[in-house]
Amino acid sequence: MLLSFFQLSLAIRNVWPKRMGLRAFLALYMLLLLAGLPVTLFSCIPYGLFGILVAACVYGLVTCRDTAAQNVCMGMLGFVLAVITDNFLVIFLDLLIPAALLNQQYFSFGVSLMRILLFYFITLLCGRLLKKLLLSGKGILRFLQTWYVVDAALLLLITIYLFDDLIPGQDGSFGKMIYNNALHISGYLLVMLFLCLAMRRFWLEQIHTEEKQKALQDLQGYTHNLEAMYNGLRSFKHDYVNILLSMSGYIENCDMEGLKEFFENKIFPTKNLIDQGDYKLNQLSNIGVLEIKSLLSAKMIYAHESGIDVAIDIPDKVGGFQIDTVDLARILGIFLDNAIEAALEAQKPQIGLNIIQNQPGVSITISNHFQDNGLALHKLKQKGFSTKAGHQGIGLSNAQKIISSYDNVLLETTMQPGYFIQHMEII
């Protein structure tokens, strides 16, 4: 009994989300030992095992409350892992070692010690794999609500196993047992279906909320840059007055040579500074959708500050887009991020943005210089492919997936010598 609960505590420790100290391990061991008394004293196998499972869940909820949902899930997985590993080792050692040797006292002790060591290393390896898969904080598992759904599903599944597989039909008949199992498994699948649908809906709402928050952040950045441009304009007005006063001295003295030299050396170079500070952001005022305007301005400003030559051409007013604003923001964000990263690797960094309101709808073209390494165009659209180390390569595939959900959006991707072009028509 003591050894069995020690192994169970060891398995839970090896899959625990955070490092479990000696005191925490001893507390878990004592809690499981107390919860398992009905199993050993009163032979209440399914009810006692359920009590042990509940004790592990309660321990996960009480300790480290910031990761309570993960604690409960990993605790139940440790419970299942302990049972599976122990059964596997029993079958394996029974097949490997003759029964006559197991009856010898010293040899049996050595086998038990080896069994504990194998149990520890197997659960430790499986625990690391489970933590790497489940606790990476990526995808849908980064949401706290997902963990509660997984906890409920695991608890339901283990409960069904305990009370359906360990308790046969009340009259002992095989048909009654099949009927009970089929009924409970059908109920389990129905509950799982509703849980998965609820989880999927929550995930979509969470992504939608994150996109709105990102759009708000872009809007704040756009406002901040407008304020910076306004302050720069005020500063320029002040400098403009000083320039006129400095020129008036040359004019009063009729010093045309000095005025010419002053103009060429001091005033004319400010033209480039004015052009660089402007970088044609005024054309973004033709975009009537505030979220898209803020996104484009934030990306273009970032590209300019990164040393990229930015060209913006939006000659006409664009009142709206026949596509969801959040989806369009996601598509443009992916295209512009990729364009900026590719342009920074080119010898002559350059990005072009062209938006035209025409009779059928809106035409959007994003072009950039890039370092041509002989990469095939079709590979860029494959999910998981990326030219950047450490990236997952899902940006363009996600954009393609969003576009394919609309019948009125067409995308044409072309590569010319030194140029990469994304042309999108929203009809």
Side-chain angles (χ1 to χ4, degrees):
M1 172 185 173
L2 296 177
L3 181 59
S4 298
F5 285 102
F6 177 78
Q7 289 180 329
L8 177 60
S9 304
L10 200 62
I12 295 177
R13 173 194 174 275
N14 288 338
V15 300
W16 204 249
K18 293 186 177 180
R19 187 178 181 275
M20 185 182 293
L22 180 60
R23 290 184 179 180
F25 176 77
L26 291 176
L28 174 64
Y29 177 63
M30 295 302 298
L31 181 62
L32 296 178
L33 195 62
L34 291 174
L37 287 177
V39 179
T40 55
L41 297 180
F42 306 107
S43 298
C44 301
I45 295 178
Y47 301 101
L49 292 177
F50 183 74
I52 298 172
L53 178 65
V54 172
C57 294
V58 171
Y59 181 82
L61 290 173
V62 173
T63 58
C64 301
R65 294 188 177 182
D66 55 334
T67 59
Q70 291 91 332
N71 295 342
V72 173
C73 178
M74 302 306 287
M76 287 190 288
L77 289 178
F79 183 88
V80 175
L81 179 63
V83 175
I84 294 175
T85 305
D86 187 64
N87 291 333
F88 168 76
L89 289 176
V90 169
I91 297 173
F92 177 74
L93 293 176
D94 286 344
L95 294 175
L96 187 64
I97 301 174
L101 294 176
L102 291 176
N103 294 328
Q104 299 180 11
Q105 182 178 0
Y106 295 103
F107 191 83
S108 176
F109 176 77
V111 171
S112 299
L113 183 61
M114 182 177 64
R115 176 181 166 187
I116 295 174
L117 291 176
L118 288 174
F119 181 89
Y120 172 75
F121 286 112
I122 291 175
T123 54
L124 182 64
L125 177 61
C126 294
R128 289 182 177 178
L129 292 175
L130 287 172
K131 287 190 284 187
K132 186 176 181 180
L133 291 173
L134 301 178
L135 301 178
S136 60
K138 298 179 181 179
I140 196 171
L141 290 176
R142 71 181 187 272
F143 303 128
L144 182 62
Q145 287 79 356
T146 304
W147 285 98
Y148 287 115
V149 172
V150 174
D151 292 343
L154 277 176
L155 185 60
L156 182 60
L157 178 60
I158 297 174
T159 304
I160 289 175
Y161 170 76
L162 292 177
F163 291 99
D164 285 348
D165 291 352
L166 296 184
I167 300 179
Q170 295 179 356
D171 57 358
S173 65
F174 184 71
K176 185 68 174 180
M177 185 178 65
I178 293 178
Y179 172 77
N180 288 338
N181 288 340
L183 185 63
H184 285 85
I185 290 175
S186 299
Y188 166 73
L189 293 176
L190 185 61
V191 171
M192 281 298 299
L193 176 62
F194 281 109
L195 288 176
C196 291
L197 291 176
M199 185 169 56
R200 179 180 179 274
R201 182 176 180 181
F202 166 77
W203 189 20
L204 294 176
E205 290 179 353
Q206 190 74 17
I207 292 177
H208 191 71
T209 302
E210 289 180 356
E211 294 295 338
K212 285 188 175 181
Q213 290 177 351
K214 188 176 184 301
L216 179 60
Q217 291 176 357
D218 292 336
L219 179 60
Q220 292 174 349
Y222 175 65
T223 305
H224 174 74
N225 283 285
L226 282 180
E227 293 176 353
M229 292 174 63
Y230 176 71
N231 292 330
L233 181 60
R234 290 180 59 189
S235 177
F236 175 76
K237 288 181 178 179
H238 182 268
D239 294 340
Y240 179 71
V241 173
N242 292 332
I243 290 173
L244 292 179
L245 292 176
S246 62
M247 292 176 62
S248 65
Y250 289 100
I251 295 174
E252 289 178 357
N253 296 327
C254 298
D255 187 1
M256 300 305 296
E257 292 295 328
L259 178 61
K260 181 180 179 182
E261 182 180 357
F262 176 76
F263 177 80
E264 291 177 351
N265 295 333
K266 301 295 182 181
I267 298 178
F268 187 75
T270 60
K271 174 181 178 298
N272 295 329
L273 295 177
I274 295 173
D275 290 340
Q276 291 178 0
D278 185 10
Y279 37 87
K280 300 181 181 179
L281 272 181
N282 60 320
Q283 293 205 31
L284 291 176
S285 61
N286 288 332
I287 302 295
V289 182
L290 187 59
E291 298 92 329
I292 303 302
K293 182 193 298 184
S294 61
L295 171 70
L296 295 177
S297 64
K299 297 297 183 183
M300 292 296 102
I301 291 171
Y302 172 75
H304 174 79
E305 292 176 349
S306 300
I308 299 175
D309 183 16
V310 176
I312 302 176
D313 183 19
I314 310 175
D316 303 317
K317 291 285 185 180
V318 180
F321 302 90
Q322 298 300 319
I323 183 177
D324 184 76
T325 304
V326 174
D327 288 340
L328 181 59
R330 293 173 62 188
I331 295 170
L332 294 179
I334 292 171
F335 287 168
L336 290 172
D337 287 340
N338 289 338
I340 291 172
E341 292 178 358
L344 289 174
E345 298 176 355
Q347 295 181 354
K348 186 179 179 182
Q350 187 177 8
I351 286 180
L353 173 65
N354 176 258
I355 302 178
I356 298 177
Q357 177 80 60
N358 49 37
Q359 187 65 28
V362 180
S363 174
I364 303 175
T365 303
I366 299 174
S367 60
N368 63 275
H369 281 172
F370 75 102
Q371 186 69 34
D372 192 354
N373 296 321
L375 183 64
L377 180 60
H378 69 275
K379 289 187 177 181
L380 293 174
K381 299 180 181 180
Q382 296 177 359
K383 186 175 182 180
F385 180 83
S386 177
T387 59
K388 302 177 285 295
H391 288 243
Q392 296 180 347
I394 59 176
L396 288 177
S397 63
N398 281 346
Q400 187 69 35
K401 184 177 179 180
I402 297 172
I403 292 173
S404 62
S405 64
Y406 290 90
D407 296 332
N408 63 323
V409 180
L410 303 176
L411 176 66
E412 181 185 11
T413 304
T414 56
M415 292 176 63
Q416 299 178 4
Y419 262 99
F420 188 83
I421 303 172
Q422 298 275 20
H423 178 74
M424 185 167 59
E425 291 281 348
I426 305 175
I427 303 173

